[in-house]
Amino acid sequence: MKALIIGCNGLLGQNLLLTRPSSTWEVFGAGLEKAPGHPALLSGYQSVDISRREDLDATIKAVAPDWIFNAAAITDVDLCERDPALAGLINRDTVGWMADHRIPMVHVSTDYVFDGEAGPYLEDAPTRPLSVYGSTKLESERLVLSRSGRSLIVRTMTLWGRGKGAKTSFVDFVRDSLKAGKTIRIVTDQWGNATLAEDLALGIWNLVEGGHAGVFHVAGSEWNSRFEWAQAIADHYGLDRGLIQSCLTADLKQAARRPLKSGLRTDKLTAATGFRPRNIAGQIRRMDELSQSIT
Ligand SMILES: NC(=O)c1ccc[n+]([C@@H]2O[C@H](COP(=O)([O-])OP(=O)(O)OC[C@H]3O[C@@H](n4cnc5c(N)ncnc54)[C@H](OP(=O)(O)O)[C@@H]3O)[C@@H](O)[C@H]2O)c1
């Protein structure tokens, strides 16, 4: 089987490559960069700006994949709020162009499709995005599902992990700040499931290889507040949790509204595949193990 991973240099894209079942899949990549981050893991790479439809179409035609994995997106939710045209173009329109090829797709979406009043959510819970990011991702889900009955929408949240050039993760930020004796302010009113990018990638491969279609949630198995997550990081590294001060989301004056009581339930994923993503302690242990190999 031939896969094309679009956005193969992002956090999820890299983890999809690193976890690919190499005996059954030939994997091609595409991304904005001139050269890929992991050339040895790819059968081929196309440098492409997906906002140019003709270039995106040419890339898909040249590779002629059996599956498209879309890991490309604008993930800065405040940027999306300030620039809805860009968010609409990358997070919705380009997804529709990919889906127009009628090739089965894995498209990655978000808990921001929910309003955060009643999380953690099952896949069929009513959606009500509060932000431009959430709205464009929900619209993209509908585009994909309307084009191919074999496609997968995989919703995830609060992704972290390591990859070449990846931005500093929340875990690194908390650990490094506390190690340096710095006080940090963390919100107590945002709830959800921290998710290791490697687990998201493994969940996706399990779903594809199992022949599943439709909407699935893939997220870490522990539901707590961002503040409790920071405390768990402090405890894991034996650092002073007294340096973590509480604040509220409203104090941060961010452009995009966040779903507060959010979270994703993964019962459907585990029932379908047997795969259960790690809890926070398991995620941190795994990243400690991997820290030498993915840098
Ligand atoms: N991160 C989270 O907490 C989170 C939470 C829920 C859902 N998700 C979803 O999970 C998926 C993967 O997220 P991630 O965290 O892996 O994102 P990421 O690390 O920001 O990667 C996104 C990739 O998209 C690429 N991209 C953006 N615009 C492009 C363009 N015009 N042409 C080609 N490539 C372009 C980026 O390239 P450059 O790096 O060169 O810009 C980057 O490699 C996304 O669909 C996101 O919405 C993420």
Side-chain angles (χ1 to χ4, degrees), residues 193 199-200 202-203 206 217-223 265-267 269-279 283:
N193 307 71
D199 281 348
L200 172 59
L202 289 168
N206 270 286
H217 292 171
V218 180
S221 63
E222 192 170 340
W223 187 79
R265 288 180 57 179
T266 52
D267 317 44
L269 166 77
T270 303
T273 65
F275 178 70
R276 189 173 156 78
R278 280 165 265 225
N279 63 11
Q283 294 173 23

Side-chain angles (χ1 to χ4, degrees), residues 145-218:
L145 293 174
S146 70
R147 303 291 200 280
S148 166
R150 292 178 58 204
S151 287
L152 275 161
I153 300 297
V154 176
R155 294 192 191 124
T156 191
M157 69 178 301
T158 336
L159 210 53
W160 76 282
R162 269 174 216 161
K164 286 182 185 170
K167 58 180 184 277
T168 306
S169 75
F170 182 69
V171 174
D172 291 344
F173 162 72
V174 172
R175 185 198 56 216
D176 295 348
S177 302
L178 301 187
K179 260 190 190 163
K182 284 188 200 154
T183 300
I184 52 175
R185 290 168 76 224
I186 306 293
V187 292
T188 49
D189 59 349
Q190 283 184 40
W191 293 74
N193 307 71
T195 307
L196 193 63
E198 183 184 56
D199 281 348
L200 172 59
L202 289 168
I204 288 174
W205 284 116
N206 270 286
L207 287 166
V208 172
E209 294 229 298
H212 300 287
V215 182
F216 282 83
H217 292 171
V218 180

Side-chain angles (χ1 to χ4, degrees), residues 19 23 26 36 38 41 45 54-55 60-61 64 81 87 94-95 111 134 165 175 180 216 240 246-247 268 282 291 295:
T19 56
S23 58
E26 190 188 9
H38 298 276
L41 303 180
Y45 177 78
E54 61 279 19
D55 294 348
I60 294 171
K61 283 189 184 135
E81 207 67 20
T94 68
V95 182
D111 65 307
R175 185 198 56 216
F216 282 83
D240 179 9
S246 63
C247 68
K268 187 178 171 188
S291 59
T295 50

